[in-house]
Amino acid sequence: LLKSGAALERLAEVTHVVLDKTGVITAAAPELIDADPAAIARAAPLARASRHPLAKTLARAAGPGPAAEGAREAAGLGVEGLIDGRMARMGRAAYVGAEPAPEGALETELWFRIEGEAPIRFAFREQLRADAAAAIAGLKARGLSVEILSGDVPAAVEKIAAEVGITTWRASLTPQEKAAAIRALAETGKKTLMVGDGLNDAAALALAHASMAPGEAANISQNAADLVFTGDSLTATTFAVDVARAARQRALENFAFSALYNLVATPAAMLGLVNPLIAAIAMSSSSLVVTLNALRMTWVGGRR
């Protein structure tokens, strides 16, 4: 879904791709690992108030029920609200006042704490999107460099990066740090495509040369993105790049044809070498050629 009139033009110019991890490279529904049912039920009201993929998985595990009162989501940190009249928080370890998991832990984690009680850690096992590795290989084959910017713990990011063939990655980033990274890439001359889905990606999406978000992304991320792709396929990114590059090529070809046509036809008409009937036929033919050339876009990327 194309949201910006200039998006294809900017997308055709990108030289570097930045991907969020959770919900972009990995599926939007991670697997909750060995959680205590009582702990799930305790945290469920706050999980129902968040759109983060981990919180939504927790909410599904708990089943239907009320959401926490007065819930407020802090980008890149977590969500807080009232449960049974007491303040509760869910998100990063530091946000809830807990000690993070030991360095090297591979599970993606989500922490929950009610005021006056001990923090609870929920661990998740993330599954790659089925075509994630193929999509990233496709981006590289198109001459684009690829990296991951994630707010998750380093070990989990490193594991996913290795599985999909990405060697450059950064972890434990705040939304401000992600945005700063996009600015830094621009200052080095890179034109970046940012693909993200969460509240913590919105600023980076807005700053990137071009941006995409999955259809299940947070509203603020979809609003900040130039394109939104539906379905589960990450190869939508390579398809979008192919379409953008082909659109630019067709436009340049049509400009060249128009220039050539006018270079030949205008002097001929001025010298009286072309009668009105021939001129009308030539003018119509030139428009037809340009239109037919543009219609070649129908077959770009093998899709119709």
mmCIF file of all heavy atoms in Angstrom, residues 68-94:
data_model
loop_
_atom_site.group_PDB
_atom_site.id
_atom_site.type_symbol
_atom_site.label_atom_id
_atom_site.label_comp_id
_atom_site.label_asym_id
_atom_site.label_seq_id
_atom_site.Cartn_x
_atom_site.Cartn_y
_atom_site.Cartn_z
ATOM 1 N N ALA A 68 -5.999 -3.002 31.483
ATOM 2 C CA ALA A 68 -5.629 -2.164 32.629
ATOM 3 C C ALA A 68 -6.178 -0.750 32.462
ATOM 4 O O ALA A 68 -6.272 -0.233 31.341
ATOM 5 C CB ALA A 68 -4.110 -2.125 32.761
ATOM 6 N N GLU A 69 -6.527 -0.130 33.564
ATOM 7 C CA GLU A 69 -7.076 1.228 33.520
ATOM 8 C C GLU A 69 -5.957 2.249 33.302
ATOM 9 O O GLU A 69 -4.854 2.111 33.816
ATOM 10 C CB GLU A 69 -7.795 1.554 34.840
ATOM 11 C CG GLU A 69 -8.958 0.628 35.155
ATOM 12 C CD GLU A 69 -9.545 0.929 36.533
ATOM 13 O OE1 GLU A 69 -9.291 2.033 37.048
ATOM 14 O OE2 GLU A 69 -10.219 0.054 37.067
ATOM 15 N N GLY A 70 -6.284 3.282 32.528
ATOM 16 C CA GLY A 70 -5.355 4.387 32.331
ATOM 17 C C GLY A 70 -4.028 3.988 31.738
ATOM 18 O O GLY A 70 -2.990 4.593 32.061
ATOM 19 N N ALA A 71 -4.023 2.990 30.863
ATOM 20 C CA ALA A 71 -2.765 2.484 30.311
ATOM 21 C C ALA A 71 -2.105 3.525 29.404
ATOM 22 O O ALA A 71 -2.768 4.189 28.609
ATOM 23 C CB ALA A 71 -3.020 1.204 29.534
ATOM 24 N N ARG A 72 -0.794 3.656 29.555
ATOM 25 C CA ARG A 72 -0.001 4.570 28.728
ATOM 26 C C ARG A 72 1.238 3.813 28.262
ATOM 27 O O ARG A 72 1.942 3.202 29.063
ATOM 28 C CB ARG A 72 0.432 5.812 29.507
ATOM 29 C CG ARG A 72 -0.715 6.650 30.030
ATOM 30 C CD ARG A 72 -0.205 7.959 30.658
ATOM 31 N NE ARG A 72 0.755 7.707 31.719
ATOM 32 C CZ ARG A 72 0.409 7.472 32.984
ATOM 33 N NH1 ARG A 72 -0.862 7.449 33.334
ATOM 34 N NH2 ARG A 72 1.340 7.262 33.900
ATOM 35 N N GLU A 73 1.500 3.878 26.951
ATOM 36 C CA GLU A 73 2.645 3.173 26.389
ATOM 37 C C GLU A 73 3.791 4.156 26.171
ATOM 38 O O GLU A 73 3.606 5.221 25.577
ATOM 39 C CB GLU A 73 2.260 2.492 25.073
ATOM 40 C CG GLU A 73 3.220 1.405 24.670
ATOM 41 C CD GLU A 73 2.539 0.241 23.943
ATOM 42 O OE1 GLU A 73 1.361 0.380 23.570
ATOM 43 O OE2 GLU A 73 3.194 -0.793 23.767
ATOM 44 N N ALA A 74 4.963 3.803 26.656
ATOM 45 C CA ALA A 74 6.167 4.618 26.478
ATOM 46 C C ALA A 74 7.026 3.963 25.407
ATOM 47 O O ALA A 74 7.485 2.834 25.588
ATOM 48 C CB ALA A 74 6.940 4.728 27.794
ATOM 49 N N ALA A 75 7.228 4.656 24.298
ATOM 50 C CA ALA A 75 7.946 4.083 23.160
ATOM 51 C C ALA A 75 9.313 3.564 23.566
ATOM 52 O O ALA A 75 10.111 4.276 24.179
ATOM 53 C CB ALA A 75 8.091 5.129 22.063
ATOM 54 N N GLY A 76 9.579 2.306 23.218
ATOM 55 C CA GLY A 76 10.868 1.710 23.485
ATOM 56 C C GLY A 76 11.087 1.235 24.906
ATOM 57 O O GLY A 76 12.119 0.644 25.217
ATOM 58 N N LEU A 77 10.121 1.496 25.797
ATOM 59 C CA LEU A 77 10.280 1.117 27.198
ATOM 60 C C LEU A 77 9.256 0.089 27.630
ATOM 61 O O LEU A 77 9.600 -0.972 28.147
ATOM 62 C CB LEU A 77 10.189 2.362 28.088
ATOM 63 C CG LEU A 77 11.285 3.413 27.878
ATOM 64 C CD1 LEU A 77 10.994 4.642 28.738
ATOM 65 C CD2 LEU A 77 12.647 2.835 28.226
ATOM 66 N N GLY A 78 7.970 0.393 27.443
ATOM 67 C CA GLY A 78 6.922 -0.518 27.869
ATOM 68 C C GLY A 78 5.610 0.198 28.065
ATOM 69 O O GLY A 78 5.381 1.284 27.515
ATOM 70 N N VAL A 79 4.750 -0.397 28.863
ATOM 71 C CA VAL A 79 3.419 0.149 29.107
ATOM 72 C C VAL A 79 3.138 0.111 30.604
ATOM 73 O O VAL A 79 3.590 -0.788 31.315
ATOM 74 C CB VAL A 79 2.346 -0.658 28.323
ATOM 75 C CG1 VAL A 79 2.338 -2.125 28.738
ATOM 76 C CG2 VAL A 79 0.969 -0.055 28.489
ATOM 77 N N GLU A 80 2.415 1.108 31.088
ATOM 78 C CA GLU A 80 2.035 1.125 32.498
ATOM 79 C C GLU A 80 0.554 1.441 32.622
ATOM 80 O O GLU A 80 -0.055 2.051 31.742
ATOM 81 C CB GLU A 80 2.867 2.150 33.282
ATOM 82 C CG GLU A 80 2.595 3.595 32.904
ATOM 83 C CD GLU A 80 3.373 4.565 33.783
ATOM 84 O OE1 GLU A 80 4.248 4.128 34.534
ATOM 85 O OE2 GLU A 80 3.076 5.781 33.699
ATOM 86 N N GLY A 81 -0.043 0.985 33.725
ATOM 87 C CA GLY A 81 -1.455 1.223 33.981
ATOM 88 C C GLY A 81 -1.846 0.658 35.329
ATOM 89 O O GLY A 81 -1.005 0.101 36.056
ATOM 90 N N LEU A 82 -3.108 0.780 35.674
ATOM 91 C CA LEU A 82 -3.607 0.327 36.975
ATOM 92 C C LEU A 82 -4.234 -1.057 36.862
ATOM 93 O O LEU A 82 -5.061 -1.318 35.989
ATOM 94 C CB LEU A 82 -4.632 1.310 37.514
ATOM 95 C CG LEU A 82 -4.129 2.723 37.842
ATOM 96 C CD1 LEU A 82 -5.295 3.615 38.273
ATOM 97 C CD2 LEU A 82 -3.067 2.676 38.942
ATOM 98 N N ILE A 83 -3.827 -1.947 37.749
ATOM 99 C CA ILE A 83 -4.436 -3.267 37.894
ATOM 100 C C ILE A 83 -4.902 -3.390 39.335
ATOM 101 O O ILE A 83 -4.095 -3.316 40.268
ATOM 102 C CB ILE A 83 -3.437 -4.392 37.556
ATOM 103 C CG1 ILE A 83 -2.998 -4.295 36.090
ATOM 104 C CG2 ILE A 83 -4.063 -5.758 37.816
ATOM 105 C CD1 ILE A 83 -1.983 -5.345 35.680
ATOM 106 N N ASP A 84 -6.197 -3.536 39.503
ATOM 107 C CA ASP A 84 -6.787 -3.600 40.851
ATOM 108 C C ASP A 84 -6.384 -2.382 41.686
ATOM 109 O O ASP A 84 -6.085 -2.491 42.885
ATOM 110 C CB ASP A 84 -6.361 -4.889 41.572
ATOM 111 C CG ASP A 84 -6.848 -6.142 40.853
ATOM 112 O OD1 ASP A 84 -7.910 -6.073 40.209
ATOM 113 O OD2 ASP A 84 -6.158 -7.171 40.932
ATOM 114 N N GLY A 85 -6.331 -1.235 41.035
ATOM 115 C CA GLY A 85 -6.027 0.006 41.737
ATOM 116 C C GLY A 85 -4.565 0.238 42.041
ATOM 117 O O GLY A 85 -4.215 1.233 42.693
ATOM 118 N N ARG A 86 -3.688 -0.641 41.590
ATOM 119 C CA ARG A 86 -2.248 -0.501 41.847
ATOM 120 C C ARG A 86 -1.501 -0.315 40.526
ATOM 121 O O ARG A 86 -1.850 -0.914 39.503
ATOM 122 C CB ARG A 86 -1.724 -1.733 42.582
ATOM 123 C CG ARG A 86 -2.354 -1.931 43.967
ATOM 124 C CD ARG A 86 -2.166 -3.348 44.467
ATOM 125 N NE ARG A 86 -0.756 -3.651 44.694
ATOM 126 C CZ ARG A 86 -0.307 -4.879 44.954
ATOM 127 N NH1 ARG A 86 -1.163 -5.906 44.998
ATOM 128 N NH2 ARG A 86 0.961 -5.084 45.168
ATOM 129 N N MET A 87 -0.471 0.521 40.573
ATOM 130 C CA MET A 87 0.308 0.792 39.375
ATOM 131 C C MET A 87 1.109 -0.446 38.967
ATOM 132 O O MET A 87 1.727 -1.111 39.804
ATOM 133 C CB MET A 87 1.255 1.970 39.616
ATOM 134 C CG MET A 87 2.102 2.350 38.397
ATOM 135 S SD MET A 87 1.102 2.776 36.946
ATOM 136 C CE MET A 87 0.368 4.314 37.510
ATOM 137 N N ALA A 88 1.089 -0.740 37.692
ATOM 138 C CA ALA A 88 1.829 -1.883 37.157
ATOM 139 C C ALA A 88 2.554 -1.447 35.903
ATOM 140 O O ALA A 88 2.113 -0.550 35.182
ATOM 141 C CB ALA A 88 0.877 -3.041 36.846
ATOM 142 N N ARG A 89 3.677 -2.088 35.646
ATOM 143 C CA ARG A 89 4.455 -1.796 34.451
ATOM 144 C C ARG A 89 4.851 -3.093 33.739
ATOM 145 O O ARG A 89 5.058 -4.122 34.377
ATOM 146 C CB ARG A 89 5.727 -1.018 34.797
ATOM 147 C CG ARG A 89 5.500 0.461 35.033
ATOM 148 C CD ARG A 89 6.818 1.205 35.191
ATOM 149 N NE ARG A 89 6.629 2.644 35.141
ATOM 150 C CZ ARG A 89 7.615 3.539 35.122
ATOM 151 N NH1 ARG A 89 8.881 3.115 35.156
ATOM 152 N NH2 ARG A 89 7.359 4.831 35.063
ATOM 153 N N MET A 90 4.980 -2.984 32.417
ATOM 154 C CA MET A 90 5.417 -4.118 31.617
ATOM 155 C C MET A 90 6.333 -3.604 30.516
ATOM 156 O O MET A 90 6.040 -2.592 29.884
ATOM 157 C CB MET A 90 4.208 -4.825 30.993
ATOM 158 C CG MET A 90 4.561 -5.949 30.024
ATOM 159 S SD MET A 90 3.075 -6.687 29.305
ATOM 160 C CE MET A 90 2.384 -7.473 30.767
ATOM 161 N N GLY A 91 7.475 -4.277 30.322
ATOM 162 C CA GLY A 91 8.388 -3.847 29.270
ATOM 163 C C GLY A 91 9.806 -4.281 29.550
ATOM 164 O O GLY A 91 10.056 -5.412 29.975
ATOM 165 N N ARG A 92 10.753 -3.374 29.319
ATOM 166 C CA ARG A 92 12.160 -3.663 29.567
ATOM 167 C C ARG A 92 12.412 -3.876 31.053
ATOM 168 O O ARG A 92 11.678 -3.364 31.900
ATOM 169 C CB ARG A 92 13.028 -2.513 29.082
ATOM 170 C CG ARG A 92 13.072 -2.314 27.579
ATOM 171 C CD ARG A 92 14.009 -1.156 27.262
ATOM 172 N NE ARG A 92 14.095 -0.907 25.829
ATOM 173 C CZ ARG A 92 15.229 -0.780 25.151
ATOM 174 N NH1 ARG A 92 16.392 -0.902 25.791
ATOM 175 N NH2 ARG A 92 15.231 -0.525 23.857
ATOM 176 N N ALA A 93 13.501 -4.577 31.349
ATOM 177 C CA ALA A 93 13.858 -4.837 32.746
ATOM 178 C C ALA A 93 14.046 -3.531 33.508
ATOM 179 O O ALA A 93 13.519 -3.358 34.615
ATOM 180 C CB ALA A 93 15.131 -5.689 32.806
ATOM 181 N N ALA A 94 14.796 -2.600 32.938
ATOM 182 C CA ALA A 94 15.050 -1.335 33.619
ATOM 183 C C ALA A 94 13.769 -0.534 33.839
ATOM 184 O O ALA A 94 13.636 0.180 34.839
ATOM 185 C CB ALA A 94 16.050 -0.513 32.817
#
